[in-house]
Amino acid sequence: MHNTKTGPLTFGSARINAGLQHAVKKHRSEIIAEISASGMKGRGGAGFPTGVKWNLAAAAKDEHKYVVCNADEGEPGTFKDRVILTEYADLVFEGMSIAALAIGAKHGIIYLRGEYSYLRPLLEAILQRRRNEGLLGENILSREGFTFDIEIRMGSGAYVCGEETALIESLEGHRGEPRNRPPYPVDTGYLGHPTVVNNVETLAWVACILAKGAHWFKSIGTDKSTGLKLFSVSGDCEHPGVYEFPMGISVADLLKEVGGEDAKAVQIGGASGHCVPASEFARTIAYEDIPTGGSIIVFGPDRDMVDVSRNFLEFFVEESCGQCTPCRVGSAKLLEGVEKLSKGACSMQYLRELRGLGETMQLASKCGLGQSAPNAFLSIVAHFKDELMGRIAAAPGEKE
Amino acid sequence: MFQTQQDKLNQDIQRWGDEFGRTRSALIPILQEIQAKYFHVSEHAMQVVANMLDIHPVEVYGVVSFYSFLDHRPKGKFIIRLCRTLSCAMQNKDRVARQLENDLGISFGETTPDGRFTLEWANCIGMCDQGPAMLVNDHVFTRVTPDKVHDILDGCRRAFGVFATEKRQEYLV
Ligand code: SF4
Ligand code: FES
């Protein structure tokens, strides 16, 4: 097993369990206030403020509440959660325990993607050690009534289960089809009980924030995007791997760090993210500019952007849960279009129609998967028209 | 299936019911155990599970057909899943794919006639910085080259002794 880690991965050099030790001395509302003050937003990509989420779940009245760690990392180009779980699993479990204390949950579930089942024995062993050390179980760290334990549940190879309502469906033994929202999981989640679903990285940072204080986290990054963020970098660059950078780093600076200065474009946010051309490398990676779950795929000068777009659309055709029409049919139609494009058999009119279809999918799809499926295609059409137009003009002889 | 083998399956399912509980939330963990031990979830198995959890067999089938790691058709003892997503595609996964097909004599989506190997595509398996990447059952292989394919398959084949029918993969480290 290789765990390439190119940039320094420090997690603010937080001491393991320091955060939990601070948390047990605090009132529930103080914990949530600390997280809110830090400005922490969900690291899975959607960027929902973690404090707000916890507050909603804490306010819900129910004897049974759940904390779920979303370890269904499946966005193409993302592997930071794998590295976190291999090297810093304690921080993640600690973050879950802090969340449980804050919202009043007794049960924790980590939903680990099936592709990572080789991590399971390691995680089981760490959980067992934490039980032995009194960090899980009853009256944790002598805090009266703080009872919490964590179980591991495995995914079964479905990208859409990374969507939190689909993940809950899957936990309940159903097909992983996203639900309509509202109701939100904080209110009606696993088995109908209030449930907080947080990303692996979010939970690790939570532990660090409790350990080092909200002001430490807030002093890093930008006003609207605080703290550090992990990035999974792959593609045409010299040093692919996992990096830790402050939020608000520019694309150009990031490329310099990873040895990808000659890139002509970068895909930020995986298949569901956006393709950023070189002319926009001064833009920053932050919730207010380019938001991302941390997937960075670098495209060198010779990459064929139509191939890129085709690969992503194949992915969505495969992973669409099929529940709603814009996504199920739309993805297949877009893929058909891209195949035509790559053969140089696509008219300008048809290209316009494809663009319209993509925009409809963004609006009319039920969940994030369908809403973001056309993103990469649309940004490639917007920024690399030259490549597309060139083909349209150059390859009339290749029409089927 | 021989009667005895069916009995064994029934017993196993009851045992997993004891372990995970006889509720709907236990469905997927139980199916995952069946898949791991029997290399597929047969119609018979679906029926037994449905009875045990008191749900309609169609519900069970719906779940089995939804998840790519569950299958009602028998799969090979070794399931090879090569990542076909962009970062691996950019690192020449096509050549590895061709070599796998050549060495196994099957195409993607197929199982060898002796029931040993199934060849499948995977979507991103979280090894994008070290592609092309593939899984063989629970084991991950990175930076796979066409050259390495032969050694990996050979490693798997060595797991099959004359009478070996159980899954054995300890050597695959
Ligand atoms: S948008 Fe796609 S994945 Fe989401 S519910 Fe609709 S069909 Fe399923
Ligand atoms: S793209 Fe192949 S492992 Fe991520």
Side-chain angles (χ1 to χ4, degrees):
Chain A
M1 172 62 55
H2 316 267
N3 246 325
T4 319
K5 183 179 64 182
T6 317
L9 198 59
T10 65
F11 277 108
S13 26
R15 218 158 30 83
I16 303 285
N17 294 326
L20 186 57
Q21 273 151 3
H22 286 177
V24 292
K25 294 194 201 94
K26 289 180 193 277
H27 188 266
R28 282 166 54 176
S29 60
E30 288 176 308
I31 300 174
I32 298 178
E34 187 86 24
I35 296 299
S36 299
S38 74
M40 178 73 202
K41 290 181 182 167
R43 292 302 198 237
F48 193 76
T50 308
V52 174
K53 201 183 244 188
W54 287 16
N55 223 343
L56 291 167
K61 296 219 176 344
D62 195 322
E63 223 184 291
H64 298 283
K65 297 183 187 177
Y66 294 89
V67 172
V68 174
C69 170
N70 184 348
D72 195 40
E73 173 174 66
E75 188 62 54
T78 317
F79 42 95
K80 65 182 175 70
D81 291 352
R82 166 179 58 80
V83 175
I84 298 173
L85 288 169
T86 310
E87 298 183 10
Y88 293 92
D90 268 299
L91 275 184
V92 179
F93 295 145
E94 193 188 337
M96 289 178 78
S97 305
I98 293 168
L101 181 58
I103 69 160
K106 290 193 177 60
H107 313 280
I109 300 171
I110 172 165
Y111 186 90
L112 182 67
R113 68 184 302 215
E115 290 83 348
Y116 289 175
S117 53
Y118 51 84
L119 291 177
R120 187 173 184 163
L122 170 77
L123 298 179
E124 294 279 13
I126 294 174
L127 284 175
Q128 194 48 48
R129 172 170 52 67
R130 292 184 73 83
R131 283 183 200 112
N132 298 344
E133 290 171 350
L135 297 164
L136 289 172
E138 286 178 15
N139 301 325
I140 294 167
L141 292 173
S142 322
R143 166 123 174 193
E144 199 63 33
F146 178 19
T147 298
F148 180 64
D149 209 327
I150 299 172
E151 86 178 278
I152 301 178
R153 295 280 294 269
M154 300 304 300
S156 256
Y159 165 77
V160 70
C161 288
E163 200 277 341
E164 59 179 13
T165 61
L167 189 156
I168 290 170
E169 284 289 311
S170 172
L171 284 177
E172 290 180 353
H174 295 107
R175 296 161 66 92
E177 290 169 348
R179 298 175 179 171
N180 280 320
R181 308 190 304 173
Y184 292 93
V186 285
D187 176 60
T188 309
Y190 181 51
L191 302 176
H193 299 292
T195 303
V196 155
V197 183
N198 280 141
N199 174 263
V200 169
E201 186 187 342
T202 306
L203 290 161
W205 287 121
V206 156
C208 301
I209 291 168
L210 264 292
K212 305 186 65 160
H215 51 276
W216 160 75
F217 198 74
K218 215 174 155 50
S219 68
I220 307 166
T222 72
D223 279 355
K224 289 197 179 117
S225 310
T226 57
L228 294 156
K229 169 92 193 80
L230 299 198
F231 292 91
S232 317
V233 182
S234 65
D236 301 321
C237 62
E238 268 165 61
H239 312 291
V242 174
Y243 290 80
E244 188 183 276
F245 292 127
M247 291 296 269
I249 186 174
S250 72
V251 180
D253 286 346
L254 186 145
L255 285 173
K256 208 178 294 162
E257 294 286 334
V258 306
E261 289 102 324
D262 63 347
K264 75 169 176 186
V266 177
Q267 180 75 19
I268 299 179
S272 58
H274 292 270
C275 186
V276 178
S279 59
E280 296 182 10
F281 282 176
R283 290 178 66 183
T284 59
I285 302 177
Y287 297 110
E288 63 271 25
D289 192 356
I290 312 173
T292 174
S295 164
I296 304 281
I297 305 175
V298 184
F299 302 126
D302 302 329
R303 275 301 150 198
D304 181 343
M305 299 314 286
V306 178
D307 280 352
V308 168
S309 168
R310 179 177 36 211
N311 189 287
F312 282 152
L313 284 166
E314 280 168 358
F315 173 80
F316 285 115
V317 168
E318 171 86 6
E319 295 293 347
S320 164
C321 85
Q323 206 186 162
C324 64
T325 320
C327 166
R328 185 187 62 239
V329 179
S331 305
K333 287 278 170 219
L334 279 188
L335 177 58
E336 233 177 80
V338 169
E339 272 159 4
K340 280 219 169 116
L341 270 178
S342 82
K343 290 198 188 92
C346 179
S347 69
M348 203 58 210
Q349 174 60 24
Y350 186 41
L351 185 60
R352 255 186 235 123
E353 280 167 20
L354 289 176
R355 211 165 50 196
L357 172 63
E359 283 157 6
T360 307
M361 289 170 67
Q362 287 177 326
L363 292 173
S365 295
K366 182 169 169 183
C367 83
L369 188 151
Q371 288 158 9
S372 55
N375 288 356
F377 170 76
L378 290 175
S379 39
I380 287 169
V381 170
H383 300 302
F384 292 94
K385 244 207 180 115
D386 288 357
E387 279 185 37
L388 309 184
M389 305 272 283
R391 279 177 200 260
I392 293 166
E398 280 180 32
K399 280 186 191 162
E400 278 170 294
Chain B
M1 206 186 280
F2 298 118
Q3 192 55 42
T4 51
Q5 216 178 333
Q6 241 183 47
D7 288 346
K8 200 168 121 216
L9 175 64
N10 295 349
Q11 268 174 20
D12 276 335
I13 291 175
Q14 295 303 329
R15 189 162 49 78
W16 289 319
D18 294 340
E19 188 179 334
F20 300 114
R22 288 179 165 73
T23 61
R24 179 76 194 236
S25 328
L27 175 60
I28 294 178
I30 293 170
L31 295 177
Q32 286 168 337
E33 294 289 343
I34 298 172
Q35 179 78 43
K37 183 159 177 185
Y38 294 94
F39 311 110
H40 72 304
V41 183
S42 64
E43 272 175 34
H44 173 76
M46 289 192 234
Q47 183 69 54
V48 177
V49 173
N51 290 348
M52 182 172 76
L53 302 182
D54 198 19
I55 51 181
H56 199 282
V58 163
E59 288 279 322
V60 182
Y61 180 79
V63 167
V64 171
S65 62
F66 184 84
Y67 294 96
S68 63
F69 282 18
L70 300 173
D71 210 311
H72 67 279
R73 291 158 310 190
K75 293 232 178 148
K77 300 197 167 43
F78 288 96
I79 302 182
I80 300 175
R81 296 188 168 96
L82 178 67
C83 173
R84 65 169 159 199
T85 311
L86 188 61
S87 298
C88 288
M90 287 164 64
Q91 298 172 87
N92 284 326
K93 66 113 174 56
D94 280 341
R95 295 189 48 210
V96 177
R98 173 68 60 81
Q99 196 61 41
L100 280 164
E101 288 183 327
N102 289 348
D103 280 7
L104 290 171
I106 53 173
S107 307
F108 279 79
E110 294 179 356
T111 299
T112 53
D114 61 7
R116 291 184 176 187
F117 294 98
T118 296
L119 187 55
E120 286 184 352
W121 292 115
N123 284 323
C124 184
I125 58 172
M127 283 290 168
C128 332
D129 56 336
Q130 306 163 52
M134 69 184 199
L135 285 167
V136 179
N137 294 347
D138 287 351
H139 297 262
V140 65
F141 292 87
T142 58
R143 299 200 172 94
V144 182
T145 56
D147 223 28
K148 275 198 208 163
V149 162
H150 177 79
D151 294 341
I152 294 170
L153 295 181
D154 227 34
C156 297
R157 287 200 182 93
R158 259 181 281 132
F160 299 103
V162 189
F163 302 107
T165 52
E166 294 291 321
K167 193 162 64 170
R168 277 178 35 205
Q169 43 175 290
E170 301 85 52
Y171 64 93
L172 262 182
V173 202

